[in-house]
Amino acid sequence: MSVTCPPPAPSQVKSPCINICRMHAPTGLCEGCARTIAEITVWSKADDATRLEILARLPERRASLVEQGVFTAAEPSSI
């Protein structure tokens, strides 16, 4: 008798990606979602807790990008 594991439940935490995928060289952050390459890479395999940790970092990063004149990540309402 073989036991099969059910597939993981779909995540309830949605990606912050807004399809503006361009890295801001001075900060290493995506100009669209404010994530790092490492965070973008891990996202699809991350559990909800990890995704929430990543999302918690984004408001401060967006504010930093606004200060630097990178406005694509400036409006959280567009995400």
Side-chain angles (χ1 to χ4, degrees), residues 29-60:
L29 300 174
C30 174
E31 292 180 15
C33 67
R35 292 180 292 171
T36 65
I37 294 258
E39 291 166 341
I40 292 167
T41 302
V42 75
W43 188 268
S44 65
K45 295 180 176 114
D47 60 19
D48 283 353
T50 301
R51 288 179 176 198
L52 290 171
E53 288 174 11
I54 293 169
L55 290 177
R57 298 179 196 128
L58 303 186
E60 184 176 332

Side-chain angles (χ1 to χ4, degrees), residues 67-78:
E67 290 174 10
Q68 296 181 51
V70 180
F71 295 103
T72 55
E75 299 298 326
S77 61
S78 68

Side-chain angles (χ1 to χ4, degrees), residues 8-27:
S11 176
Q12 298 299 310
V13 181
K14 302 301 177 204
S15 171
C17 180
I18 59 170
N19 294 316
I20 299 174
C21 304
R22 184 174 53 236
M23 299 311 288
H24 183 246
T27 62

